[in-house]
Amino acid sequence: MSIKIASINVNGLRNVNKRTLVFNWIVSQNIDLVCLQETHCTQDQTWLWSKEWKEYGGGESFWNCGTNESRGVGILLNKDFTLSFDVSMIDDK
C-alpha cells in the first residue's frame, strides 16, 4: 500500500479564489494527506473551510489556527482516505 502525502506553504487561504484554486488542485492530484502551512486562519473560519473542502471533493480536515496574518496549519484528507490514526494536538501558545 502506498500513501501520497504533500506539504504546501499556502501563505494564506483567506481569499476565496485562492482557496478554491488550492482545494481544486489538491483534489485533482489525488493526494491522500496534505499538510498546509501558513493558512492564516482564525477559529471562526475553519468551519467554512472544512465545509468547502468537502464540497470540492475532499474528506475530513483538521485545523490549528494562528492569526489572520500569520501562522496556522491544516491537515486535509482525501475523501477516500481509509487509514485510521490517533490525533494528538498540543498547543502551548
Side-chain angles (χ1 to χ4, degrees):
M1 172 183 215
S2 65
I3 299 173
K4 194 172 184 180
I5 300 173
S7 178
I8 306 167
N9 185 324
V10 293
N11 195 24
L13 282 181
R14 290 184 321 232
N15 180 289
V16 67
N17 294 327
K18 183 175 185 179
R19 230 174 19 257
T20 298
L21 181 68
V22 169
F23 288 174
N24 281 328
W25 181 83
I26 293 168
V27 169
S28 74
Q29 299 302 304
N30 201 30
I31 301 170
D32 297 305
L33 186 147
V34 179
C35 301
L36 301 178
Q37 304 164 37
E38 295 297 327
T39 59
H40 301 183
C41 66
T42 58
Q43 213 45 54
D44 60 331
Q45 295 167 318
T46 59
W47 70 270
L48 173 63
W49 294 8
S50 293
K51 180 177 175 268
E52 289 175 348
W53 170 239
K54 287 183 178 179
E55 288 172 356
Y56 291 118
E60 293 298 318
S61 60
F62 307 91
W63 304 91
N64 190 3
C65 301
T67 70
N68 65 348
E69 296 192 15
S70 69
R71 300 180 299 200
V73 296
I75 299 172
L76 308 180
L77 302 178
N78 183 301
K79 69 177 179 177
D80 298 322
F81 191 84
T82 58
L83 295 177
S84 63
F85 52 92
D86 293 326
V87 175
S88 176
M89 300 177 90
I90 298 173
D91 187 64
D92 51 350
K93 290 183 185 179

